[in-house]
Amino acid sequence: MKKMMFVLVILLFLLTLTVFLQSLFREDTSKELYYTLAKNYSFHPLCDETMSIEIYSTSDHSWIGFSSKNQYRLKDERLEVVLTDVEVLKEKAPDHQTRYEFVFSLVDLGQDVEMEEGVFQITNEKFQLELPIGSVAIYQKDFPKLNFSSLYGNYAKVEEEFHLVGLTIGLDQYRQIEELRFGCGFGNLAQIRKDAFYPSEMSQVPMDLSPWEKAPSSLPFVLSKGNHEYYIPLFYSQKCLTTDATILLKMDGKTYLLEHFFFVIPAFSLKDYPQMRRMGTIRYA
């Protein structure tokens, strides 16, 4: 009889402990917050085998970091892409947060992806998390590569945040520029400057051209003979942070590929980009 009572007490204790731990876990996950930065992503699978998305969490052991327990998708109102073989990296970030980086292959997507307002969705048995990540463009077509002598990005403070506001590129083999685009970013051809030699990091936007204001349509910009550097102001169809890009340039009636290029950026964190910060929305199972 005593043995039976002991077993019943142990079972009751284990049941109580299980319920307590489940409620504790549920309480902790309900307090988790998730953030990302709205970025301008543009890739070409022939140049870039992988794409990565960064999410900042208030939890160091979030369910989003266990790839075997999650399904990952890129989506918008028109398109949904299921991501496979997602590698998850994590590290401590400022402000007592953990940065999770989700790395996945672009090679097997098999289609053009152009999302003006892309969403990264994570689904598991506990919850479904969605984060607005900005603009996503993945170009599949095989474009010829652009020949250029120099290239660097021009950053300036826009509303107290550093943003890519221009490209400086050296060209000498083409007659005219007809279009420049990369995701939600475009070239303002009407305001191109020859041999302006703006520095990579500027205190203000040249010519007071805000990148958030759409440039009027313009005629192709005619290039001068010889090797010159051209400053091409940029504008965006939405507010996004650009740190790297695969750029398409239409020159002399033909579209060329400017391979994935990483630009130098003065700062890159949630703290430095409050206007680009986006909070995730979570729905529990």
Side-chain angles (χ1 to χ4, degrees):
M1 187 67 179
K2 290 183 178 180
K3 185 176 181 180
M4 184 178 296
M5 288 295 294
F6 178 75
V7 172
L8 289 174
V9 170
I10 293 297
L11 291 175
L12 183 60
F13 171 76
L14 292 176
L15 179 61
T16 303
L17 181 62
T18 301
V19 172
F20 171 75
L21 291 176
Q22 287 179 342
S23 64
L24 182 63
F25 177 79
R26 190 176 298 113
E27 181 183 358
D28 286 344
T29 56
S30 67
K31 293 180 180 179
E32 291 179 21
L33 298 176
Y34 299 91
Y35 300 92
T36 191
L37 291 173
K39 294 183 63 180
N40 181 25
Y41 298 92
S42 61
F43 296 92
H44 191 282
L46 295 181
C47 303
D48 311 281
E49 295 183 355
T50 61
M51 173 179 171
S52 66
I53 295 173
E54 296 177 342
I55 295 177
Y56 296 81
S57 171
T58 54
S59 172
D60 190 38
H61 302 285
S62 174
W63 269 66
I64 68 172
F66 299 100
S67 59
S68 62
K69 298 181 181 294
N70 291 282
Q71 292 181 331
Y72 304 99
R73 291 178 175 87
L74 277 179
K75 56 178 290 188
D76 67 357
E77 294 181 349
R78 301 172 295 103
L79 180 65
E80 181 175 300
V81 180
V82 178
L83 306 175
T84 58
D85 299 324
V86 178
E87 181 183 5
V88 184
L89 309 173
K90 74 173 185 176
E91 66 177 8
K92 294 300 294 183
D95 302 326
H96 307 289
Q97 294 183 343
T98 299
R99 183 180 69 89
Y100 293 85
E101 182 178 6
F102 302 84
V103 184
F104 50 91
S105 174
L106 299 174
V107 176
D108 298 326
L109 293 183
Q111 59 183 319
D112 281 348
V113 175
E114 293 198 51
M115 298 179 177
E116 184 71 15
E117 297 180 356
V119 172
F120 185 49
Q121 183 188 80
I122 304 175
T123 306
N124 56 50
E125 64 183 65
K126 296 293 180 181
F127 56 78
Q128 184 178 86
L129 172 66
E130 292 190 344
L131 293 112
I133 60 171
S135 171
V136 180
I138 302 172
Y139 310 112
Q140 297 284 335
K141 186 179 178 181
D142 188 9
F143 298 98
K145 294 180 181 179
L146 181 74
N147 292 315
F148 58 93
S149 58
S150 61
L151 174 69
Y152 63 91
N154 301 94
Y155 277 85
K157 270 200 170 183
V158 183
E159 300 172 0
E160 301 305 314
E161 297 177 351
F162 272 104
H163 285 280
L164 183 69
V165 298
L167 293 176
T168 297
I169 185 168
L171 299 168
D172 66 352
Q173 299 182 23
Y174 307 96
R175 297 189 303 273
Q176 62 182 19
I177 302 174
E178 294 153 13
E179 183 185 38
L180 184 153
R181 62 188 174 99
F182 53 107
C184 67
F186 302 88
N188 181 352
L189 306 189
Q191 300 294 334
I192 291 178
R193 295 291 183 267
K194 183 181 74 172
D195 296 332
F197 302 114
Y198 293 118
S200 179
E201 183 176 334
M202 301 178 286
S203 59
Q204 61 184 19
V205 182
M207 301 171 283
D208 294 325
L209 296 174
S210 171
W212 313 138
E213 295 179 7
K214 183 178 180 180
S217 59
S218 60
L219 297 174
F221 179 84
V222 179
L223 302 172
S224 300
K225 290 184 178 180
N227 189 5
H228 295 277
E229 285 195 344
Y230 298 90
Y231 172 77
I232 307 176
L234 303 176
F235 68 92
Y236 299 86
S237 59
Q238 63 170 297
K239 291 187 176 182
C240 286
L241 173 65
T242 300
T243 60
D244 53 283
T246 291
I247 299 170
L248 299 182
L249 261 170
K250 188 175 181 182
M251 315 275 289
D252 305 336
K254 190 173 184 179
T255 300
Y256 293 88
L257 176 75
L258 203 162
E259 292 186 345
H260 199 188
F261 192 87
F262 289 86
F263 302 102
V264 177
I265 184 169
F268 182 68
S269 70
L270 288 174
K271 180 180 178 182
D272 295 311
Y273 288 90
Q275 297 183 69
M276 301 297 110
R277 185 170 58 192
R278 303 290 183 267
M279 178 182 287
T281 58
I282 193 165
R283 185 175 71 245
Y284 290 92

